[in-house]
Amino acid sequence: RFPAPNSWQDVLDAIEALRIEKHEYKTLVIDTIDWLESKIVYPDVLRRYFAGNPKEADEYGRWHKVAKDYWVELVVALDRLREERDIEVWVLCHAKASTFNNPSGADYARYSHAFGGSVGSEVLKQWADSVLFLAYDDTVVKVKGKEKAVSGARVMYTSRQAAYDAKTRYAIPAMMPTDYETYARSRDAARSPEDIEMEARELLKQLDPPKELREKIESYLAQSKGSGQAMLVGLNRVRFYIDEKSTKEVAAQPAAK
């Protein structure tokens, strides 16, 4: 375990040490990215770009835009580590509740990452293969006529919902237990998005559906590149068309005498 860094260079040096030095480690965990931001990145940005003036830095979130370069530098270093040493990287982050300005309806509260504003958070989300949201599987029950929230098992979610951000490029369940072994087994057994897309397109060639339906499915597949879950939805749409077409063909056959 590396000691807590005192500077941004300490962070980069630790990653570089894992890349070039001899060791048997296979996993790097950054715990947490929001601590790294508040204790290392923000003070460094404040000193280097805003003459130590927090009011100027915080105005309109200016410092977040400057800090984007730090996060890009970080993911480049992490990519080199993954590619050259086959080290798995986990970045932990706390969540915060905030109001989502909904352009198509009423605003609502949702969880978001407690770091990076809209800039840094997007850099990490786009880079990651999976963004997992951990929470308790809460339910509401009635006790003596009153509703009461009851916390169940802790679970992790792998696809985005209105209340939180999540994603994965793997075709894995939308909700899973919060243990690494279960996630790793599902991930390693999952088909790649490219493989799923290939099957969907092969089926489209064989079926030759109506032009309008083909264009809809083609458009959906194009928009879903890189996401195993979304590609599965596209494949299932093609399979649904197969089932529907088969049912109609059977129904159209004359009854045996």
Side-chain angles (χ1 to χ4, degrees), residues 17-30:
L18 285 173
R19 187 182 72 85
I20 64 175
E21 293 179 6
K22 186 177 180 180
H23 61 78
E24 297 183 357
Y25 297 116
K26 301 304 292 181
T27 306
L28 168 64
V29 179
I30 298 178

Side-chain angles (χ1 to χ4, degrees), residues 220-247:
Y220 182 85
L221 293 176
Q223 294 171 17
S224 303
K225 282 189 179 295
S227 170
Q229 287 181 321
M231 279 297 175
L232 273 180
V233 172
L235 177 58
N236 287 336
R237 288 182 180 181
V238 179
R239 287 171 174 165
F240 175 79
Y241 174 72
I242 295 174
D243 294 340
E244 188 179 41
K245 184 178 180 183
S246 299
T247 301

